[in-house]
Amino acid sequence: MRLTRDHRKFPLMQFRSRRLQALLGVPLHEATYKHFADLLHSEDAREAEDLDYKATYAGPTMSDSIAVDVATFANHRGGVIVLGIDDTNGIPSADPGIDLTDAFEREIHTAVAARAPANKGLLKWPVRYNSQKFWMTETQIAAAYRRRFSAAADSAARVAEVESAVVLRVLEGGGDWRTPRPVLTVSLAPETPGQFSIAEDEVRHFKEGLARDAFIVGRSSPFFTPGSGVGRGHLYAAGHLQGRVTWAEFHTDGAGSMILPLSFFPPQGGQTAVVMDSQVTLYILSALRLLALHATERAGATGTAVVTARILPDVLSYETKVPRLIEAITAQQTIGDPPQTYGRRRRDTQTATESGEYTGREPARDAHGDAVIFLDDLAGDGQPLAAAVGQLTGALLQCYGLPECRQIRPDGTLVLRAWESHADAGQAWAEQLDIPVED
């Protein structure tokens, strides 16, 4: 949430919340007072990190109260303050309404734009924690700034860090990765990181969301298994594709990464595994969308993000300088009794259509693409997201000698014939979100 003195000249960053959208049944920018009033006595509509009810603002401290409440959300990850609804223990219980006069609206705008909450002359910073207001101390504020600016200074390194983390996790989590299989990683790190607290309510909402999430665009049933949970400084989720586990990690600063196995044609001469570019595009779309929603809605990150995608002929070919990851790869490369080194593979990947026709002229051992994209473009489901996916996928496919992504034009237009067996999913996505298509 960003507030300016002249919102006509400097547009506000739009707050998004899939949780609240599902609760209300409409996007937040379309929600009215009645949508919230219809939630009276609903446990699901309880006050939370992104939702607060106020019967009214009144009295001599009204401006201070307004400024503090708005700052509390703005300093966290954004949220909605509903005026005219009362609550009992956080659950909306009455809708007396409120007379939103011109004078009252001016008071709100003045309080937000021109006032700063004070606390006896001390430096204080209100922030949302679960459904309560929490005043950070000066030391906590300084620590938060250090975390934010140090992370923003090296977001490219942060992307590599979270990418290494998911590779390490799948290797340590079991499964015979000595059987070669191409994998795709998709990673994101905000250049202006956010911050969220791993609290019980947050974990519960996270698991509830995963239980509903189809993840892959066009899929109708939930994708993730019940085995989601908490790791050090992150939430994680698992699913299954092609008989292999997929893994995703969502960090408290808004960074995240996913690793997904790819379908492939048998290697030619034992050297080249052929992957389908339409599937790569679909998986990048699905993963980037999920990672961006985490960064914006859960962590409150803003601005731009560094995003990367990588295709490896198998997970054991991952190049790393991380000691734990080197050990995990070495352990997977060792077989037999006594142990014998399996050896570093000298295999490549190639791209093709689903019919097997090659699309790229060059094979690649480590195809890698990156881009810097506005988080607001990634967090929406419309044409800007499609254009961003086309940009990142195109950068990745250039490693194979392809000039651009076949499935998405630079302006975000979907080329349905290039989506092959996924064309129905692309068509449904385009119709739902008013994305232009080309047959």
Side-chain angles (χ1 to χ4, degrees):
M1 181 185 295
R2 182 180 67 186
L3 299 171
T4 66
R5 290 183 181 276
D6 186 351
H7 67 273
R8 293 164 297 182
K9 185 176 181 181
F10 303 100
L12 302 184
M13 300 290 283
Q14 182 176 331
F15 171 68
R16 296 182 175 90
S17 170
R18 284 200 294 171
R19 185 186 80 85
L20 291 181
Q21 180 171 323
L23 190 65
L24 296 166
V26 296
L28 278 179
H29 66 274
E30 296 179 7
T32 65
Y33 178 82
K34 185 178 184 304
H35 285 103
F36 287 96
D38 287 344
L39 299 175
L40 291 186
H41 311 298
S42 170
E43 176 71 29
D44 291 338
R46 177 187 291 274
E47 289 183 333
E49 283 192 312
D50 55 1
L51 180 61
D52 193 20
Y53 300 107
K54 295 290 180 183
T56 188
Y57 284 108
T61 61
M62 180 175 77
S63 292
D64 281 339
S65 297
I66 293 171
V68 169
D69 286 345
V70 172
T72 297
F73 281 108
N75 290 336
H76 188 42
R77 68 187 199 201
V80 176
I81 301 173
V82 185
L83 293 179
I85 292 183
D86 206 354
D87 70 278
T88 302
N89 297 324
I91 298 175
S93 56
D95 57 339
I98 193 168
D99 188 9
L100 199 59
T101 63
D102 289 343
F104 187 40
E105 284 197 66
R106 283 196 301 272
E107 184 74 24
I108 292 175
H109 285 287
T110 300
V112 171
R115 299 178 68 89
N119 193 324
K120 298 182 179 179
L122 299 176
L123 177 60
K124 294 287 184 178
W125 193 296
V127 69
R128 193 78 171 172
Y129 182 78
N130 289 334
S131 61
Q132 303 298 318
K133 197 185 285 107
F134 169 68
W135 287 89
M136 299 174 70
T137 65
E138 188 168 352
T139 302
Q140 289 170 325
I141 296 170
Y145 270 111
R146 281 196 299 270
R147 287 195 302 269
R148 172 160 290 194
F149 289 120
S150 63
D154 201 358
S155 52
R158 181 63 175 146
V159 164
E161 183 180 10
V162 296
E163 180 187 71
S164 297
V166 296
V167 174
L168 176 63
R169 183 60 184 83
V170 297
L171 288 172
E172 290 184 335
D176 186 5
W177 289 97
R178 292 176 303 216
T179 304
R181 179 154 208 146
V183 294
L184 168 72
T185 64
V186 182
S187 308
L188 177 152
E191 290 194 326
T192 304
Q195 185 68 30
F196 77 94
S197 303
I198 300 180
E200 288 186 6
D201 282 353
E202 184 64 56
V203 175
R204 177 171 59 83
H205 292 317
F206 173 68
K207 291 185 176 183
E208 289 173 351
L210 290 180
R212 299 187 300 266
D213 203 325
F215 170 53
I216 296 176
V217 172
R219 182 184 173 118
S220 57
S221 59
F223 173 83
F224 294 101
T225 65
S228 58
V230 178
R232 185 177 181 274
H234 68 270
L235 304 172
Y236 63 81
H240 287 95
L241 280 173
Q242 327 299 332
R244 287 282 176 90
V245 71
T246 66
W247 193 262
E249 293 187 354
F250 309 93
H251 295 260
T252 56
D253 62 353
S257 185
M258 296 193 70
I259 184 168
L260 305 103
L262 293 169
S263 300
F264 68 105
F265 299 115
Q268 303 296 313
Q271 295 300 315
T272 305
V274 182
V275 299
M276 294 171 284
D277 62 356
S278 57
Q279 184 183 72
V280 169
T281 303
L282 178 69
Y283 286 2
I284 289 177
L285 163 61
S286 302
L288 201 57
R289 175 176 176 268
L290 186 66
L291 294 171
L293 287 171
H294 161 73
T296 54
E297 293 185 4
R298 188 175 293 115
T302 59
T304 58
V306 175
V307 294
T308 67
R310 183 187 300 270
I311 296 176
L312 297 166
D314 60 82
V315 73
L316 300 186
S317 64
Y318 189 78
E319 296 288 347
T320 182
K321 296 181 181 179
V322 180
R324 282 185 62 201
L325 190 47
I326 293 173
E327 293 173 4
I329 291 174
T330 302
Q332 285 282 350
Q333 289 176 332
T334 303
I335 60 174
D337 188 15
Q340 297 177 357
T341 302
Y342 190 80
R344 183 173 297 278
R345 294 166 180 72
R346 304 301 298 172
R347 297 179 58 217
D348 300 323
T349 55
Q350 178 63 287
T351 57
T353 65
E354 292 185 7
S355 66
E357 179 184 355
Y358 289 110
T359 56
R361 294 187 300 273
E362 302 292 334
R365 185 157 297 129
D366 181 1
H368 177 267
D370 56 44
V372 177
I373 301 171
F374 277 105
L375 275 172
D376 264 16
D377 289 347
L378 296 175
D381 276 340
Q383 192 171 351
L385 171 61
V389 172
Q391 180 182 347
L392 178 59
T393 307
L396 173 68
L397 296 178
Q398 285 169 6
C399 295
Y400 300 102
L402 286 166
E404 60 184 357
C405 172
R406 293 190 310 128
Q407 291 75 23
I408 306 175
R409 298 292 186 211
D411 65 353
T413 299
L414 304 189
V415 185
L416 291 182
R417 64 181 179 277
W419 286 73
E420 299 172 317
S421 66
H422 309 295
D424 288 346
Q427 180 71 60
W429 185 49
E431 290 177 355
Q432 180 182 356
L433 302 165
D434 197 27
I435 300 172
V437 299
E438 176 184 313
D439 294 330

